[in-house]
Amino acid sequence: MDSIKGSLESVVFHNDKNGYTVADFDVNGEMITVVGTMDTPRIGEYMTMTGFWKEHPIYGDQFQMENFTLDLPTSEEGLIRYLSSGLLPGVGEKTARDIVAHFGDQTLDVLDHSPERLTEIRGIGKKTLSRIIEEYQEQREIRDVLIKLQDYGISSTNAMKLYGVYKADTVAVLLDDPYRMIKDVRGIGFKIADQIACQLGIEAQNPKRIRAGIIHSLRECYAQGNTYMSEEELIQTSVKILGVNPDDIAPELGELTLTGGVHVDEIDGIKAYYPMGLYEAEDNTALSMARLVRGAFENDSLDIKQAIEEYEKTVGIRLDAVQFQAIETATQEGTAIITGGPGTGKTTIINGILTILKQMNLKVSLAAPTGRAAKRMTETTGEQATTIHRLLEYDYSGDDDFPCFKRDEDNPLETDAIILDEASMIDIVLMNSLLTAITPGTRLILVGDADQLPSVGPGNVLEDLIDSGIVSVVRLEQIYRQSEKSMISVNAHDINEGNIPAIDNHSDFVFIRKTEQTAILKTVLDLMGWRLRENMGFDVLRDVQVISPIKKGTVGVIALNKALQEILNPPAEDKNERTVGLTVFREGDKVMQIRNNYQMHWEDARGPETGEGVYNGDIGMIETIDSRAKQMKVHFTDDKMALYDFDQLDELTHAFAMTVHKSQGSEFPVVIMTLVGGSPLFLNRKLLYTAVTRAKKMLVLVGSYPNFARMIHAGTANNRRTALVERIKMYSEMGI
């Protein structure tokens, strides 16, 4: 680890959100570029920095700072630059020179202990003195707090985060309860808080530590998709994280239950512990659904059966009995669920429902969980659909688990009916937010495939609503969307039933058998590099999507993206690049947005339209990378053009390959999926079924046939723990 000391001369770049900073420092008369995290970089500040030297391919040698301490200048010239840097209001270079000339090497001592003496300097009156004292005391406070925290081994980055929240009370707060920072300070979780607490001398058996560890353990629910943990699982997880005995956990778990830190219930004869937010989301969802289902609707103004028959004539189709029932149920009842696999006519039914609800003079809102699903809904209905987040008017709150929406019980949605597509992707938190914003009397129609993967977030909402028995459910099973030679929908149906399909490689369902992962990788690269383009005429960047069930490994998404970038968009002199961590973004790369950004400005490539919002899962191509402007332009598939500042590039990832979860809610002309071995808890039938149903024209599976068969037989291995069904039934019986 190297160390340098110098004064901050200029700030090249600073991100207010995460503190990432590029700055030039004067180090013994030489200008050095320093890259690191600084909360509020100030011109003229003196720092001792530790880190390492790194050569940037464009900007040359840079010092990668990992930690720093604030110092004070000692030379007269250093004092002048320090005082005239903007640190003191109303003090420019001339006044700074006068101060140093008058007080000499006692200048800082005067500022610390006798600041009123500054009035001895011409031009500094009482008002200016008051402002100087206020600003300098704050800077001294920051310096003192940083020094104290760094004495405890706390990094400068974390120290600045803590000071930003607690100010002068930082040290006192941490000594009283260092685990407060988990809730108070964005970006600090249990692990960092526990490290700091250890440095502060907090013992392993400290009750505050154990309670914080229990709450952290319960957060495993989010990762596993469950809404609660059994008592045994919670204690075991807490013991593993905290390194204490089970006997130390029990009393603090009881205390958390009494004080409302966690919620406990009895479910199927066992004690079940909830993170409080997930309990409230599940309980409110159950209560809201029970109330919504009881809504009664009079449709005397329209003969529904006749309206459906007219719809059939208008679009030139003949609905089967189940499809007819689906439209009838959705337009007559307060809530309805329509579920079915690919090719069963869900789009036709959505259009029928929409047509009839509009004939009833009802205002209808269309929504889906992701931007891509909403876009597809817009294309298939001809009506504007939006994400659920956008429908609820998302308002960034800084809490990733519980988004903040402007639409709620006090400001409900102004609509008569809501049709939600891809409902299997809705988690319990989002569902609760939606139901909170729906007034009694609003129709709610959920459309989706209950056999697909459940939501990435906690809960199993669509399946639980179906299992509750209180919502009218119509299951579509007859397959219509296929040509004579199409086997994608047929084989998907077989897979969903737990049957291994008969595979004919002369159809659109192709299986290339390979055992070794290196052979699987080579086959995928051949398919993308030349076979699909030369033999079948596909544009592999626009028409073909590679999907893998895993992120790591030879045929995981990370390795696939790197290998595919090399063959599909290799480096060239005329292609600019930008390196972010281990990722090299290059002009011409296929990329994907990985989180919702509702403030991102975009322009329509086809015309003058502009707007805001780029969504998790949106796919595009990098058009330009401008190192001078520090911006990258991305052209998305829906013709949105968005400019990303370099500090926003963590919102993007390569999309030559993606996980099955990331592909959910989308359809692609051609899908290539790698098949690998692994735990049936993860590599199961739902995962395979979801991947297969992403393909519209062709599916190519590459891998081991035994792994294919094992996934089909592992259909019930991953059941989520939720109690939504029981809660809905309870509230329904109570008639609340």
Side-chain angles (χ1 to χ4, degrees), residues 145-352:
V145 168
L146 281 179
I147 290 170
K148 288 178 184 176
L149 292 181
Q150 288 168 355
D151 284 344
Y152 287 113
I154 299 171
S155 74
S156 54
T157 300
N158 288 330
M160 290 303 295
K161 285 182 181 179
L162 295 168
Y163 178 82
V165 174
Y166 301 125
K167 302 299 181 184
D169 297 326
T170 301
V171 176
V173 168
L174 296 188
L175 291 174
D176 176 63
D177 182 6
Y179 297 96
R180 268 184 60 181
M181 72 181 83
I182 299 171
K183 185 173 70 172
D184 295 344
V185 184
R186 180 169 171 78
I188 291 187
F190 175 79
K191 289 184 179 179
I192 293 177
D194 201 39
Q195 290 171 2
I196 292 174
C198 180
Q199 290 159 347
L200 293 171
I202 300 296
E203 295 181 351
Q205 284 78 21
N206 185 290
K208 291 176 180 176
R209 176 177 185 264
I210 292 174
R211 289 196 290 271
I214 291 170
I215 291 173
H216 176 69
S217 299
L218 264 179
R219 293 189 62 79
E220 187 67 17
C221 289
Y222 292 93
Q224 299 298 325
N226 304 317
T227 57
Y228 67 83
M229 272 186 177
S230 69
E231 183 175 45
E232 180 183 3
E233 182 186 9
L234 177 55
I235 290 176
Q236 287 178 352
T237 304
S238 300
V239 165
K240 184 177 179 180
I241 287 171
L242 293 165
V244 297
N245 296 318
D247 292 343
D248 296 320
I249 303 293
E252 303 311 324
L253 184 54
E255 180 68 19
L256 280 171
T257 304
L258 288 173
T259 57
V262 301
H263 179 83
V264 62
D265 252 331
E266 185 171 308
I267 299 171
D268 295 330
I270 66 166
K271 272 190 174 182
Y273 288 87
Y274 285 80
M276 189 55 71
L278 288 186
Y279 164 71
E280 291 173 349
E282 186 175 87
D283 194 60
N284 290 340
T285 295
L287 179 59
S288 298
M289 282 304 302
R291 288 174 173 171
L292 207 59
V293 168
R294 289 198 298 270
F297 297 92
E298 298 293 333
N299 297 315
D300 296 338
S301 61
L302 189 70
D303 185 325
I304 299 296
K305 284 187 171 62
Q306 183 179 336
I308 298 173
E309 291 168 357
E310 288 296 324
Y311 170 68
E312 288 179 305
K313 293 176 184 177
T314 302
V315 297
I317 61 170
R318 182 69 176 174
L319 300 169
D320 68 26
V322 178
Q323 292 176 320
F324 197 100
Q325 179 196 355
I327 299 177
E328 190 175 26
T329 300
T331 51
Q332 286 185 326
E333 300 192 19
T335 59
I337 295 174
I338 299 164
T339 180
T344 55
K346 294 193 297 294
T347 297
T348 300
I349 288 165
I350 289 175
N351 282 324

Side-chain angles (χ1 to χ4, degrees), residues 331-512:
T331 51
Q332 286 185 326
E333 300 192 19
T335 59
I337 295 174
I338 299 164
T339 180
T344 55
K346 294 193 297 294
T347 297
T348 300
I349 288 165
I350 289 175
N351 282 324
I353 295 167
L354 181 59
T355 297
I356 293 170
L357 291 178
K358 289 172 72 174
Q359 288 176 13
M360 296 163 64
N361 296 317
L362 299 179
K363 181 181 178 182
V364 184
S365 298
L366 304 179
T370 68
R372 277 183 293 170
K375 178 193 170 190
R376 200 172 76 247
M377 199 178 187
T378 299
E379 292 169 346
T380 56
T381 62
E383 300 285 340
Q384 184 61 48
T386 183
T387 63
I388 298 172
H389 284 76
R390 178 65 77 183
L391 179 70
L392 297 175
E393 298 177 23
Y394 177 87
D395 188 23
Y396 180 74
S397 67
D399 191 331
D400 295 331
D401 296 325
F402 299 98
C404 177
F405 298 107
K406 293 180 181 177
R407 294 290 183 176
D408 55 21
E409 64 268 35
D410 297 322
N411 182 30
L413 292 166
E414 297 168 3
T415 189
D416 301 309
I418 301 171
I419 303 175
L420 296 181
D421 200 7
E422 295 291 350
S424 64
M425 300 176 68
I426 303 173
D427 64 38
I428 192 66
V429 176
L430 184 57
M431 190 66 182
N432 175 52
S433 297
L434 175 67
L435 293 174
T436 299
I438 294 177
T439 56
T442 303
R443 288 171 166 84
L444 179 63
I445 298 131
L446 304 175
V447 182
D449 189 345
D451 296 314
Q452 284 189 27
L453 288 169
S455 57
V456 174
N460 197 13
V461 174
L462 182 61
E463 198 168 320
D464 284 348
L465 290 177
I466 292 171
D467 291 344
S468 72
I470 71 162
V471 184
S472 296
V473 179
V474 181
R475 297 179 182 273
L476 306 172
E477 297 180 344
Q478 182 66 42
I479 299 170
Y480 291 96
R481 193 187 69 196
Q482 67 176 81
S483 64
E484 278 187 23
K485 292 185 178 180
S486 176
M487 294 301 295
I488 294 173
S489 296
V490 173
N491 288 349
H493 182 76
D494 284 340
I495 290 169
N496 194 37
E497 293 294 314
N499 301 320
I500 299 175
I503 297 173
D504 176 6
N505 274 359
H506 296 290
S507 71
D508 58 358
F509 192 105
V510 179
F511 198 123
I512 302 176

Side-chain angles (χ1 to χ4, degrees), residues 127-142:
K127 287 185 179 180
T128 300
L129 175 66
S130 176
R131 289 163 56 210
I132 289 174
I133 290 174
E134 181 180 353
E135 186 67 26
Y136 186 77
Q137 284 180 343
E138 182 181 349
Q139 294 307 307
R140 187 174 64 179
E141 183 181 278
I142 293 172

Side-chain angles (χ1 to χ4, degrees), residues 522-534 540 564 567-568:
K522 184 180 184 307
T523 301
V524 172
L525 296 182
D526 285 346
L527 287 166
M528 293 294 286
W530 61 275
R531 287 168 65 178
L532 287 173
R533 181 183 68 251
E534 294 182 10
V540 292
L564 288 167
I567 66 166
L568 298 177

